Amino acid sequence: MADLFENPMGLCGFEFVEFAAPTAGVVEPLFERMGFTLVARHRSKDVVLYRQGDINFIVNREKHSPAWYFAAEHGPSACAMAFRVRDSHKAYQRALELGAQPIEIATGVMELRLPAIKGIGGAPLYLIDRFEDGRSIYDIDFEWLPGVPRHPVGHGFKVIDHLTHNVYKGRMAFWGSFYERIFNFREIRYFDIQGEYTGLTSRALTAPDGLIRIPLNEESGKAGGGQIEEYLMQFNGEGIQHIALLTDDLLASVDALQMAGIPLLTAPNDIYYEMLAERLPGHGEPVEALKARGILLDGSTTGGDKRLLLQIFSQPALGPVFFEFIQRKNDQGFGEGNFKALFESLERDQLRRGSLGATSSKEPA
């Protein structure tokens, strides 16, 4: 894929997301139900690699590592992420020159030194230039499990589509500037969503390669107690809120997720599906099949040019962190037409759990 605009850091997509938990056996069963397979173990540390398609999820269980301390503070969570770059040394030096804070990660014997800078919530953001099969960081630092495919199909998810950051009120400009200044990200969408009780503002940023997309979310309601504030309280700080995984067949992938017992958000009411023909005339998607699974549909069909996005979200899976499952049919948006429906669905969940009624000054009618 050709760069969309100037790419001074040589970005080439997501390489991995790293996860940790205060106790063992929390993250691994979840990933297995999501269709991931354990494919490799680190040669010298208690770190394992789960993979599905080209998605790399690292689970770090090494005691007294940065991941271990991160999990002690934040609970089960995404504790680091990595961007692919063409030249990690040049990218790292450029990041430092532009004001990024270096993070030193202790390496073991014969282990690669992976350059990292301080990212969201203090989590390491690694810059990786070894990602081709046969010469990747996993070929050097990990041992592949015998007889296990290197790129398991799983439930059909192929790549990380995007991941979001939840930030404190007033901090969206800081993190927007961080990605714009260092990586030359650009804003491609801006949302201001108001529910019945709370609100949020979101800036969707994309990298020059078009493969790394990071929406930033900030609380905007006056009453407080909204979804972003709840996340920040539960997570004990800013961090990755959700990770979106891309598939070519969302109906089949959702069926596999449900069979595996992954709890998904409840569907919006029947009116949402009845209005699809009005919102997206001639969309051609099987409405009853979408409705039965709770899949949301967005995009445009103007002039007969169908640009569609199908999406569904898990319930919170690791503390307040959840996952999105997405299929793109010539649409590169973020489901902005669904944002209000999703926001209200999450707001209803807060009301059901009592977390919103306890903090909001406005009572439900």
Side-chain angles (χ1 to χ4, degrees):
M1 179 177 179
D3 290 336
L4 303 178
F5 42 89
E6 186 181 1
N7 189 357
M9 293 286 279
L11 295 169
C12 305
F14 290 104
E15 173 54 32
F16 65 75
V17 179
E18 183 178 41
F19 296 83
T23 56
V26 173
V27 180
E28 300 90 337
L30 171 67
F31 288 168
E32 290 168 5
R33 293 197 303 274
M34 287 172 57
F36 287 82
T37 298
L38 175 64
V39 297
R41 298 183 186 275
H42 198 280
R43 297 180 188 276
S44 62
K45 296 178 179 178
D46 191 7
V47 178
V48 294
L49 172 64
Y50 281 83
R51 182 178 277 178
Q52 179 172 188
D54 290 325
I55 305 167
N56 296 310
F57 281 177
I58 290 175
V59 181
N60 192 329
R61 304 178 298 213
E62 183 76 4
K63 290 185 177 180
H64 307 298
S65 66
W68 187 80
Y69 290 113
F70 192 95
E73 180 178 358
H74 299 285
S77 54
C79 60
M81 64 177 176
F83 293 167
R84 292 179 172 181
V85 295
R86 298 188 184 106
D87 186 319
S88 62
H89 177 73
K90 289 182 179 179
Y92 181 64
Q93 290 303 317
R94 184 178 187 277
L96 298 189
E97 290 169 4
L98 293 172
Q101 180 178 334
I103 290 183
E104 296 295 332
I105 307 294
T107 57
V109 178
M110 300 298 291
E111 182 182 4
L112 289 172
R113 179 186 176 277
L114 305 180
I117 61 175
K118 183 179 179 180
I120 186 72
L125 197 175
Y126 293 93
L127 305 172
I128 306 295
D129 62 4
R130 302 180 67 104
F131 45 82
E132 298 91 350
D133 284 347
R135 64 177 299 272
S136 71
I137 57 173
Y138 317 108
D139 291 298
I140 297 171
D141 287 347
F142 288 70
E143 293 181 340
W144 299 104
L145 299 186
V148 177
R150 299 287 175 91
H151 296 273
V153 174
H155 297 336
F157 297 107
K158 296 188 172 182
V159 296
I160 296 173
D161 184 86
H162 66 270
L163 54 78
T164 63
H165 296 348
N166 280 3
V167 303
Y168 286 113
K169 196 167 186 177
R171 293 267 291 169
M172 184 182 290
F174 172 85
W175 285 108
S177 174
F178 171 85
Y179 284 111
E180 290 163 352
R181 182 180 75 255
I182 296 174
F183 297 100
N184 200 31
F185 278 43
R186 294 184 183 177
E187 180 181 309
I188 54 171
R189 298 284 193 283
Y190 179 86
F191 312 100
D192 187 0
I193 307 297
Q194 298 299 318
E196 187 175 356
Y197 305 95
T198 61
L200 72 82
T201 302
S202 182
R203 289 182 63 194
L205 306 177
T206 191
D209 63 349
L211 301 174
I212 303 173
R213 291 176 277 208
I214 301 180
L216 308 173
N217 300 326
E218 179 183 274
E219 188 89 6
S220 68
K222 294 181 180 180
Q227 295 152 33
I228 309 304
E229 184 175 311
E230 183 182 34
Y231 169 95
L232 294 168
M233 290 288 288
Q234 290 184 8
F235 192 74
N236 196 25
E238 299 175 324
I240 295 173
Q241 178 215 33
H242 81 259
I243 300 159
L245 308 181
L246 184 70
T247 177
D248 290 337
D249 186 346
L250 189 58
L251 291 173
S253 294
V254 167
D255 287 347
L257 289 170
Q258 291 178 326
M259 287 290 291
I262 295 294
L264 303 173
L265 279 187
T266 55
N269 58 33
D270 290 351
I271 295 175
Y272 172 87
Y273 293 97
E274 292 169 5
M275 291 179 63
L276 286 179
E278 180 181 334
R279 283 180 52 216
L280 300 166
H283 60 76
E285 295 297 315
V287 175
E288 288 303 315
L290 300 181
K291 179 179 174 182
R293 296 163 175 81
I295 294 173
L296 306 177
L297 181 65
D298 193 44
S300 171
T301 57
T302 303
D305 181 19
K306 291 195 288 188
R307 300 174 180 269
L308 301 174
L309 175 84
L310 292 78
Q311 61 188 153
I312 192 169
F313 299 81
S314 78
Q315 294 182 18
L318 296 171
V321 178
F322 60 94
F323 294 86
E324 177 181 356
F325 310 106
I326 190 169
Q327 180 180 359
R328 296 185 181 277
K329 296 186 175 183
N330 203 30
D331 181 278
Q332 298 304 314
F334 293 88
E336 38 268 50
N338 291 325
F339 261 39
K340 190 170 179 63
L342 171 66
F343 189 89
E344 290 174 346
S345 176
L346 291 170
E347 197 173 64
R348 287 195 302 271
D349 181 62
Q350 283 188 290
L351 287 167
R352 178 184 57 80
R353 292 184 285 106
S355 65
L356 183 58
T359 54
S360 175
S361 61
K362 182 176 179 180
E363 294 298 324

